[in-house]
Amino acid sequence: DVSLEPTTTRGWPKPERLAPAVERKLFVGNNLALQGRPVDAQRVLLTNEDINIGLCKPTQDDDVFLANNDGDSLYYLHEGAATVQTPAGGLDLGAGDYLWMPRSLPHRFVKLAGPALWLHMELKRGLRIPSQYLNPLGQLKMDAPYSHRDFRRPTSIPREDGPSQVLIKRQGDFYLRTLKTSVLDVVGFDGFVYPIALNISRFSPKTGHIHLPPPAHAVFAAPGLLVCNFVPRLVDYHPQAIPCPYPHSSVDVDEMIFYCKGNFTSRKGVGPGCVSLHPAGVPHGPHPGAYEGSIGATRTDELAVMVDCERPLCPTKDAVGVENANYHASWRV
């Protein structure tokens, strides 16, 4: 090492955590004013002891590598494209891709294309495949919503030159490490800790004759939470089924939804790039008329990412800055 020193010139600031939410909330992600490199252009909107959930809106390539020691990272690219570089190889990413980046693996995003809006989740106790999808040997079962062929991994060692600086994130602080050569200066890679990508279109949704609960849509899991997909699919096919989700209180979890595209039949005023938070025990459901209006529907074209958390999610001051203050009261309409 040439140097290892604290830095305030790179990395997103520590989130200013507020009290746990007790009302339904909606945050308009497109109103979040961010720009610059991916390592700078992100902010945490919701946080608890298990996860940080935020948005990233980069406009430039990274000029340093990031090694996040605070947890595994899960990115969802809502808009934009990029290439991620790591010592284990690179991956080309586009809209609809999840990127699972293991803890502490140096990485940087380059070759950014198009306006970008990414969902970023920092899993403080690691990420995993849901146990219900695995057999006792750790292989994906045939009834899992994806197969091993749906995951993309680096297939060759790095050939690119890269910067020699690595930004280390630990306990929310950032330290700049300067190496004699780039972290891409490797001759090979051995091990099973490497980045993987999964496009949301490869997720095969489950359907039933009546409404299936959120665990049926699980894509990833972590201690204290579950990450789910809502993708275009056939809806409930019982002759008396009402496809629109019914009003309910999630008494065990706080529910975050990142809306991607489609016709969100249950709520008005919710569009792509929005983030909703429905705290445990607070009733929520469709707008008046949406429940009845869904009768007879055969499919849905909604696309969204949901996180159910056992521990209460706390908004941050950055979230309050883009909050739709009228969302909680919209159930009166």
Side-chain angles (χ1 to χ4, degrees), residues 5-35:
E5 56 187 22
T7 178
T8 58
T9 60
R10 286 286 185 270
W12 56 96
K14 285 185 178 180
E16 296 186 62
R17 177 173 173 167
L18 305 178
V22 294
E23 294 184 342
R24 301 171 288 253
K25 292 183 176 293
L26 182 71
F27 310 103
V28 184
N30 291 317
N31 292 345
L32 194 62
L34 293 173
Q35 62 180 353

Side-chain angles (χ1 to χ4, degrees), residues 2 22 25 40 44 52 59 84 89 100 103 115 129 131 137 146 171 175 239 269 285 287 306 310 317 320 324:
V2 177
V22 294
K25 292 183 176 293
D40 301 316
V44 175
N52 287 330
T59 56
V84 63
W100 180 349
R103 179 193 303 262
I129 300 295
S131 58
L137 298 178
Y146 39 62
Q171 297 297 303
Y175 302 86
H287 258 99
M306 184 177 79
E310 295 176 2
K317 286 191 175 181
V320 172
N324 179 342

Side-chain angles (χ1 to χ4, degrees), residues 25-27 45-48 51-55 74 76 98 119-123 214 225-230 248 250 253-260 273-280 284 304-315 319 327:
K25 292 183 176 293
L26 182 71
F27 310 103
L45 300 183
L46 300 168
T47 181
N48 67 15
I51 189 173
N52 287 330
I53 303 173
L55 295 177
L74 183 64
Y76 176 78
Y98 282 105
L119 177 68
H120 177 220
M121 292 167 270
E122 185 179 73
L123 293 312
L225 61 98
L226 195 64
V227 182
C228 302
N229 286 331
F230 295 116
H248 60 285
S250 300
V253 295
D254 276 15
E255 172 191 293
M256 184 284 304
I257 297 181
F258 175 72
Y259 299 88
C260 303
C274 288
V275 174
S276 68
L277 172 62
H278 297 144
H284 60 278
V305 176
M306 184 177 79
V307 182
D308 279 348
C309 295
E310 295 176 2
R311 304 191 196 196
L313 284 168
C314 301
Y327 184 68

Side-chain angles (χ1 to χ4, degrees), residues 15 184 285:
L184 299 182

Side-chain angles (χ1 to χ4, degrees), residues 47-69:
T47 181
N48 67 15
E49 292 79 2
D50 300 315
I51 189 173
N52 287 330
I53 303 173
L55 295 177
C56 184
K57 299 175 69 175
T59 56
Q60 300 173 236
D61 290 358
D62 279 325
D63 62 356
V64 296
F65 288 91
L66 172 65
N68 188 353
N69 189 252

